[in-house]
């Protein structure tokens, strides 16, 4: 029998933290509102408050289940935040473009994300799994999931909806994996109405953090076969996304 109390508590905690964070940031606007405003795909001005709100909620909620994993989620959000700020206005998309810039001596926000999130994911994998291969696969899944959610964040509500859809099957399992899936879903659900209404967007900060939390849920719930299958699927999605790299919903 599946214990529902842990999942419910994790969902409620993440949702409350994300909603509270969004409301507080919108009221205070640290550094001025202009710093938090971006133009979306439709030319409307939206804010980025949902990103840090979701990242904090996902990190705290995940750390409650697995402290080491919480640090990986926080690192993913921090790397995304760096790109939201340093990469604002950079039209380059895809790993190849950022690696080419790095080869030429330019450290882009995308390069910081690539190496920072990968390192954090591998570190988390090393603490969540015992055998070298399992650690590597875990790192691939956590980093790949972070990238995937950011990849689908091309229209209002899509990334949050993806987190809800991808996290739902994880709720059918018992244990830490189900609770971590509930964390990601709770944070996404809390900001979804504002995201769909084009009042806010996740940006790289929120998308990467929520994706990393989903990755942690897979890693903590499944054995090698399951984790390996997710790793293959996420790498394939990354390759496909690289080929189709183009204009994104966010201009950051």
């Amino acid at each position: 029998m599946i214990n529902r109390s842990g999942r419910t508590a994790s969902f409620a905690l993440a949702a409350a933290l994300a909603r509270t964070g969004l409301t507080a940031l919108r009221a205070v606007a640290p550094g001025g509102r202009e710093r938090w405003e971006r133009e979306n795909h439709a030319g409307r001005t939206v804010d980025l408050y949902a990103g840090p709100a979701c990242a904090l909620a996902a990190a705290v909620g995940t750390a409650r289940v697995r402290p080491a994993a919480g640090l990986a989620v926080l690192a993913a959000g921090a790397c995304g935040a760096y790109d939201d700020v340093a990469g604002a206005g950079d039209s380059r998309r895809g790993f190849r473009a950022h690696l080419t810039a790095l080869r030429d001596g330019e450290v882009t926000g995308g390069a910081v994300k690539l190496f920072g999130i990968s390192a954090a994911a591998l570190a988390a994998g090393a603490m969540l799994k015992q055998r070298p291969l399992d650690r590597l696969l875990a790192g691939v899944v956590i980093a790949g999931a972070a990238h995937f959610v950011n990849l689908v964040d091309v229209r209002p509500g899509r990334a949050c909806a993806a987190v809800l859809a991808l996290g739902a099957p994880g709720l059918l399992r018992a244990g830490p994996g189900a609770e971590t899936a509930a964390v990601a879903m709770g944070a996404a659900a809390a900001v979804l109405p504002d995201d769909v209404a084009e009042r806010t967007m996740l940006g790289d900060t929120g998308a990467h953090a929520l994706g990393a939390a989903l990755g942690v849920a897979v890693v903590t719930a499944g054995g090698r076969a399951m984790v390996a299958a997710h790793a293959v699927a996420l790498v394939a999605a990354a390759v496909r996304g690289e080929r189709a790299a183009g204009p994104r919903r966010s201009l950051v």
Side-chain angles (χ1 to χ4, degrees):
M1 183 176 180
I2 297 176
N3 182 6
R4 294 182 175 82
S5 61
R7 298 175 306 172
T8 302
S10 293
F11 185 98
L13 174 64
L17 288 174
R19 194 68 213 178
T20 300
L22 175 62
T23 302
L25 285 171
R26 189 170 282 160
V28 177
R33 298 194 182 279
E34 295 77 10
R35 176 174 293 183
W36 295 88
E37 291 178 346
R38 297 291 188 274
E39 187 177 282
N40 71 1
H41 74 286
R44 297 186 180 93
T45 298
V46 298
D47 64 52
L48 289 172
Y49 302 127
C54 281
L56 179 60
V60 171
T62 304
R64 176 174 168 268
V65 181
R66 287 289 180 89
L71 292 176
V73 172
L74 184 63
C79 290
Y82 178 83
D83 195 33
D84 278 339
V85 176
D90 189 345
S91 61
R92 287 170 292 192
R93 299 289 176 240
F95 297 142
R96 187 180 306 170
H98 294 292
L99 289 175
T100 298
L102 186 62
R103 184 191 63 192
D104 295 336
E106 180 185 0
V107 180
T108 65
V112 170
K113 286 194 307 180
L114 174 60
F115 291 104
I117 293 175
S118 297
L122 288 171
M127 289 183 275
L128 293 172
K129 296 293 185 179
Q130 297 298 320
R131 298 181 178 179
L133 178 58
D134 293 329
R135 291 174 171 178
L136 175 61
L137 290 172
V140 171
V141 168
I142 295 171
H147 174 66
F148 179 78
V149 173
N150 190 52
L151 193 65
V152 300
D153 188 24
V154 292
R155 289 293 184 273
R158 285 197 185 178
C160 288
V163 171
L164 292 173
L166 295 172
L171 298 182
L172 300 177
R173 295 176 174 269
E179 292 185 41
T180 308
V183 166
M185 293 176 68
V191 302
L192 178 60
D194 286 75
D195 194 359
V196 171
E198 298 186 62
R199 291 189 291 269
T200 193
M201 65 164 59
L202 289 175
D204 289 356
T205 309
H208 282 303
L210 292 178
L214 284 180
V216 169
V218 171
V219 168
T220 54
R224 179 178 294 178
M226 176 180 168
V227 175
H230 279 80
V232 170
L234 288 166
V235 170
V239 171
R240 183 177 178 84
E242 181 72 14
R243 291 174 179 171
R248 294 269 312 284
R249 168 197 170 196
S250 170
L251 297 183
V252 298

